[in-house]
Amino acid sequence: MISVDKELTLSQFYEIIFEGEPLDIEQEVLDLVKESHTFLKEFAANRVIYGVNTGFGPMAQYRIQDEDTNQLQYNLIRSHAAGTGDLLPPLHVKATMLTRLANLSKGKSGVHVSVVELLKELINRNIIPVIFAHGGVGASGDLVQLAHLALVLIGEGEVISRNERRPTAIVFEEEKLKPIEVIVREGLSLINGTSVMTGIGIVNYFYASKLLDWSIWLSCAMNEIVKAHDDHYSASLNAVKLHAGQSQVAARMREHLFDSALIKKREQDLYSGNNQEDVFKDKVQEYYSLRCVPQILGPILETIQQVGKVLEHELNSVSDNPIISVEDQNVYHGGNFHGDYISLEMDKLKLAITRLTMLSERQLNYLMNTKINGLLPPFVNMGKLGFNFGMQGAQFTATSTTAENQTLSTSMYIHSIPNNNDNQDIVSMGTNAAVIANRVIVNAFEVLAVQIISVRQAIDILNYQNFVSSKTKAVYNEISEIVPAFSDDKPLYPAIQQVKEYLMN
């Protein structure tokens, strides 16, 4: 059981979302939310407060009469539940709910305590609101997507429950759940915020971290296959480049390869004075995709780390408007719902992951092209050349998917389009940025799946099973369980999908 207190760490977030750890809310947090709600009700009695007794956006100039303020919140939720496109995956929606819960638990939004209590129940019972991918421009937060979440919280809309898409009202009746109490500004507080882009962003962060781990593994295995020299990932070489990420990647490569019987030591191979050839049979230096791994993956590692920091800050921030301050006995109007921080980080993340994908594609091409590697049959084909095709077809998939990632990496952060009667005259597009970054990440897993199957084939062809490092051997064994060595042609798409799921999970 994990309790929501003052701060929620990314590791706690992972346990709740990915591992299904139950969630609880500290009584201190509930008291804080109640205090904020009570203060706002009293404070709003004789004052003009946006979204409480005014219209919304460019219609904020219109006063709402006391008898209509409650209905106003329902009107906002229903009118903005206008999303289209594919459904967000359950993992993304659950991450969104947890992020919104963390934000509202700060006691700065004035919501009724039933909001955080119902969010907790939905998360714990794995009841997933139907939320669409298209709709948010990322300023005033994720208005459209969060409206679909709010629609469920008022007992309307649809949810995914027990793997079925069903009306919320029916599921609530079965689960004995009650809709939230809408009293002051529950509608506005629920849809004003960056919780969708942040929730998806955190999922992206965890998957990006896994991709980096696999890219380092693959790069190490590639170096073993070609019997590379060890100095390009040495501490001494990488220490003279003053970037922490580069040194961290090099250190991880040294840890991976320390017990490999295939990696050559330059001192013994080329510095011993015994090599008198005029034309060297073996390469003095490897191709960049093998030799420059610390320099390529180093900035990707640092980018992922920075993304994690920004996401954890946003997770524990208040992205609402206006902000209720019991301490100051005041209500502040501003723009904390603006998603620039997340939008920029998602653009940076997808650039980094596209670069990682490109590295994988180039390493794969090295394995496929016998004229380059000089070791392996074309397309790591274990059958009859000309009659069988090995991984030839799968390489097309990896290449085209890499090309798609390159196109998807165009920035969303700089694509602001004014809307909302120009009230929202500059927007972040953070929701789109997070969704597209996720697509780039999923694509990357597909490319790496093709590469890791090819690496396994190469190890079998060269009979290196007992010479690779222990870390390479452990994964080689698991991949071989999914995709045994093959020489006869067969459809590869089931194997690629299975390996992709293995890499992701």
Side-chain angles (χ1 to χ4, degrees):
M1 180 76 71
I2 293 176
S3 294
V4 173
D5 199 352
K6 293 181 180 178
E7 298 289 326
L8 190 63
T9 66
L10 290 182
S11 60
Q12 290 173 321
F13 194 100
Y14 185 92
E15 290 177 45
I16 295 167
I17 298 303
F18 285 87
E19 297 178 354
E21 188 69 25
L23 167 69
D24 197 13
I25 305 173
E26 294 284 346
Q27 185 59 48
E28 180 184 357
V29 171
L30 297 175
D31 292 341
L32 196 65
V33 171
K34 291 175 183 177
E35 184 182 19
S36 172
H37 177 72
T38 300
F39 167 74
L40 179 60
K41 276 202 304 183
E42 295 171 354
F43 188 84
N46 300 307
R47 296 174 175 86
V48 175
I49 299 176
Y50 172 76
V52 174
N53 47 27
T54 75
F56 302 104
M59 292 185 286
Q61 303 308 112
Y62 295 91
R63 181 187 288 275
I64 305 300
Q65 300 304 314
D66 291 347
E67 62 271 18
D68 295 327
T69 56
N70 185 271
Q71 186 62 42
L72 174 71
Q73 302 299 316
Y74 286 101
N75 290 351
L76 178 67
I77 293 169
R78 290 165 180 156
S79 66
H80 282 64
T84 63
D86 295 335
L87 296 189
L88 290 180
L91 194 68
H92 292 182
V93 178
K94 204 168 182 180
T96 294
M97 289 193 286
L98 181 56
T99 304
R100 200 78 206 118
L101 173 59
N103 285 188
L104 296 175
S105 294
K106 304 299 179 187
K108 300 292 182 182
S109 301
V111 296
H112 190 269
V113 72
S114 61
V115 175
V116 294
E117 290 175 332
L118 183 53
L119 280 170
K120 180 196 79 171
E121 290 302 320
L122 295 181
I123 292 167
N124 285 343
R125 301 188 197 195
N126 207 36
I127 298 171
I128 307 298
V130 166
I131 301 179
F132 297 90
H134 293 166
V137 297
S140 280
D142 307 301
L143 287 174
V144 170
Q145 281 97 343
L146 285 177
H148 283 276
L149 169 58
L151 196 65
V152 168
L153 293 174
I154 62 172
E156 301 177 15
E158 298 173 278
V159 296
I160 307 294
S161 176
R162 297 169 191 162
N163 297 318
E164 290 184 22
R165 182 172 170 178
R166 305 169 65 203
T168 302
I170 293 174
V171 174
F172 274 22
E173 185 177 353
E174 291 175 355
E175 295 282 339
K176 295 181 171 50
L177 292 171
K178 292 182 179 180
I180 62 169
E181 293 189 45
V182 176
I183 298 173
V184 186
R185 64 183 295 265
E186 281 70 25
L188 181 61
S189 290
L190 278 167
I191 77 170
N192 249 192
T194 61
S195 299
V196 178
M197 66 179 82
T198 303
I200 298 173
I202 295 173
V203 172
N204 289 346
Y205 162 78
F206 284 121
Y207 279 132
S209 300
K210 289 185 180 185
L211 280 169
L212 179 69
D213 292 343
W214 284 120
S215 187
I216 292 173
W217 186 96
L218 282 161
S219 297
C220 289
M222 290 289 298
N223 273 276
E224 290 183 277
I225 287 168
V226 304
K227 294 185 176 179
H229 293 101
D230 64 344
D231 51 349
H232 64 84
Y233 58 85
S234 66
S236 296
L237 180 134
N238 288 280
V240 299
K241 198 77 177 284
L242 303 181
H243 296 296
Q246 176 177 330
S247 289
Q248 289 174 38
V249 171
R252 289 174 64 174
M253 293 182 72
R254 291 194 298 275
E255 180 187 1
H256 184 121
L257 294 168
F258 86 97
D259 60 351
S260 173
L262 297 169
I263 296 295
K264 294 184 292 191
K265 293 191 177 297
R266 191 173 293 273
E267 291 85 348
Q268 298 172 4
D269 190 43
L270 295 173
Y271 292 175
S272 63
N274 296 325
N275 197 322
Q276 301 301 317
E277 299 174 65
D278 290 331
V279 179
F280 303 114
K281 179 183 176 183
D282 296 327
K283 278 190 168 291
V284 175
Q285 295 189 116
E286 302 302 336
Y287 282 86
Y288 286 8
S289 63
L290 304 178
R291 180 169 29 119
C292 301
V293 172
Q295 293 82 0
I296 295 168
L297 293 184
I300 294 172
L301 182 150
E302 291 190 46
T303 299
I304 293 171
Q305 290 173 339
Q306 172 63 16
V307 168
K309 291 177 184 176
V310 171
L311 286 166
E312 191 164 57
H313 287 158
E314 192 74 16
L315 171 65
N316 290 293
S317 297
V318 181
S319 57
D320 204 344
N321 178 60
I323 297 300
I324 315 305
S325 176
V326 177
E327 299 87 347
D328 296 348
Q329 295 288 290
N330 207 346
V331 173
Y332 297 99
H333 293 69
N336 279 357
F337 48 59
H338 220 277
D340 275 52
Y341 272 102
I342 305 303
S343 184
L344 180 56
E345 294 306 311
M346 290 299 100
D347 274 8
K348 288 159 60 178
L349 186 64
K350 71 181 179 182
L351 278 173
I353 296 305
T354 293
R355 185 65 167 171
L356 181 150
T357 312
M358 292 165 62
L359 176 64
S360 176
E361 188 276 334
R362 286 293 83 198
Q363 291 176 347
L364 175 65
N365 184 69
Y366 184 96
L367 286 178
M368 300 292 102
N369 193 334
T370 191
K371 294 178 182 177
I372 295 176
N373 63 60
L375 293 168
L376 299 159
F379 310 108
V380 288
N381 184 358
M382 299 179 73
K384 183 180 178 181
L385 296 183
F387 180 70
N388 297 112
F389 295 93
M391 294 293 289
Q392 180 176 318
Q395 186 186 12
F396 293 133
T397 298
T399 301
S400 67
T401 306
T402 301
E404 180 173 283
N405 272 7
Q406 290 171 315
T407 298
L408 290 173
S409 291
T410 302
S411 174
M412 285 302 306
Y413 180 64
I414 61 169
H415 280 165
S416 174
I417 300 177
N419 67 107
N420 194 230
N421 280 7
D422 276 343
N423 171 56
Q424 296 185 15
D425 56 350
I426 182 167
V427 297
S428 75
M429 294 295 178
T431 327
N432 285 347
V435 169
I436 294 172
N438 184 260
R439 185 170 165 188
V440 167
I441 287 166
V442 172
N443 283 350
F445 276 109
E446 294 174 0
V447 176
L448 267 63
V450 173
Q451 186 189 358
I452 205 167
I453 295 171
S454 303
V455 165
R456 194 213 47 69
Q457 286 280 101
I459 290 172
D460 274 28
I461 290 168
L462 297 169
N463 291 314
Y464 282 172
Q465 298 94 326
N466 296 321
F467 300 95
V468 294
S469 70
S470 56
K471 287 184 179 292
T472 298
K473 182 69 179 292
V475 173
Y476 163 86
N477 289 338
E478 293 184 3
I479 295 296
S480 297
E481 288 289 322
I482 302 171
V483 195
F486 63 92
S487 55
D488 294 335
D489 294 321
K490 58 182 181 179
L492 288 172
Y493 70 90
I496 295 170
Q497 181 62 32
Q498 284 180 282
V499 173
K500 171 189 167 185
E501 291 171 2
Y502 165 84
L503 297 179
M504 294 184 75
N505 298 319

